[in-house]
Amino acid sequence: MKIHNYRQVQPQNAAPGVTMRVVAGEAEGAPTFVMRVFEIQPGSATPFHTHPWEHEVYVLAGKGIARSGSDKETPIAEGDTALVPPNEQHSFLNAGKDVFRMICVVPLVNGKMPGALPK
Amino acid sequence: MKIHNYRQVQPQNAAPGVTMRVVAGEAEGAPTFVMRVFEIQPGSATPFHTHPWEHEVYVLAGKGIARSGSDKETPIAEGDTALVPPNEQHSFLNAGKDVFRMICVVPLVNGKMPGALPK
């Protein structure tokens, strides 16, 4: 069993104002899917984008907005979970004053974590 | 996008003193893996067991112990993550006075969430 705290994992810049920590991935021997922890700064967002794999999201802290499809916006906060199906446009925005933190799990694609966020 | 709070999901009894909520699974259209939220009562534990699929765990609250292999025991708390590889024996115990809450993600096996915990 590989155990560590997400705070011990080096954050990567995923988009402006957005960091990603890979907490359970290829390096830890994950065979099927990858768990990441994202932090979005106030006023920042992940790009509105789409890809052929799903996300499973769990909100750890902060106040955010999940944007999906054409215009739908849903407020999200601690304990909320979101399933983003493959090929659905989506973005997560920090709408609060504190950091917005969420887990986002993606499948391995051809044995690797699929590409980073578009810049 | 399917959004709900884990508290809105009906808990299932997974073992004595252990409940499971499936927050992103087949019903929500999950194609590859399933996110569940477990709550373990003080003094309770998941059975020490093994299976041919992995777990990816994130501790949300409480103080626990992760037991793996033959005798190894590791204290775990908020923000800790654990990757349990396939076929490794494991158990999670609540060693504190409050509820121990964790996310546990498993792959779909033949399109379904693999079996419940042994009783």
Side-chain angles (χ1 to χ4, degrees):
Chain A
M1 198 184 301
K2 303 281 179 64
I3 298 175
H4 53 192
N5 194 279
Y6 85 88
R7 296 172 183 88
Q8 296 173 292
V9 177
Q10 184 69 27
Q12 307 173 35
N13 291 318
V18 181
T19 62
M20 173 182 72
R21 289 175 168 95
V22 179
V23 295
E26 296 151 78
E28 290 75 25
T32 313
F33 49 87
V34 181
M35 181 181 284
R36 299 95 51 88
V37 175
F38 282 81
E39 290 185 338
I40 305 176
Q41 296 303 313
S44 293
T46 62
F48 192 55
H49 71 304
T50 183
H51 41 65
W53 56 85
E54 76 274 28
H55 285 323
E56 293 183 16
V57 165
Y58 185 98
V59 180
L60 295 167
K63 295 183 186 304
I65 290 173
R67 188 176 169 209
S68 69
S70 52
D71 286 315
K72 190 175 171 193
E73 297 194 345
T74 308
I76 52 175
E78 182 276 323
D80 286 339
T81 69
L83 190 139
V84 182
N87 302 310
E88 180 173 294
Q89 279 198 305
H90 59 280
S91 168
F92 293 94
L93 167 72
N94 186 343
K97 293 180 177 175
D98 301 312
V99 68
F100 179 80
R101 185 178 304 115
M102 67 182 193
I103 293 168
C104 177
V105 187
V106 292
L108 287 171
V109 176
N110 298 322
K112 292 185 181 300
M113 184 173 76
L117 291 170
K119 303 290 177 181
Chain B
M1 198 183 302
K2 303 281 179 63
I3 298 174
H4 55 190
N5 194 281
Y6 85 89
R7 297 172 182 88
Q8 297 173 292
V9 176
Q10 184 69 27
Q12 307 173 33
N13 291 319
V18 181
T19 62
M20 174 183 72
R21 289 174 165 95
V22 178
V23 297
E26 296 152 78
E28 290 76 25
T32 312
F33 49 87
V34 181
M35 181 181 284
R36 299 96 50 89
V37 175
F38 282 81
E39 290 185 338
I40 305 175
Q41 296 303 313
S44 293
T46 62
F48 192 55
H49 71 304
T50 183
H51 40 64
W53 55 85
E54 76 274 28
H55 286 324
E56 293 183 15
V57 165
Y58 185 99
V59 180
L60 296 167
K63 294 182 187 305
I65 291 173
R67 188 176 169 208
S68 69
S70 52
D71 286 314
K72 192 176 170 192
E73 296 195 344
T74 308
I76 50 174
E78 181 275 326
D80 286 338
T81 69
L83 188 140
V84 182
N87 302 310
E88 181 173 294
Q89 279 198 304
H90 59 279
S91 169
F92 294 93
L93 166 72
N94 185 342
K97 294 181 176 174
D98 300 313
V99 69
F100 180 80
R101 184 179 302 114
M102 67 182 195
I103 293 169
C104 177
V105 187
V106 292
L108 288 171
V109 176
N110 298 322
K112 293 186 181 299
M113 184 173 75
L117 290 170
K119 304 288 180 182

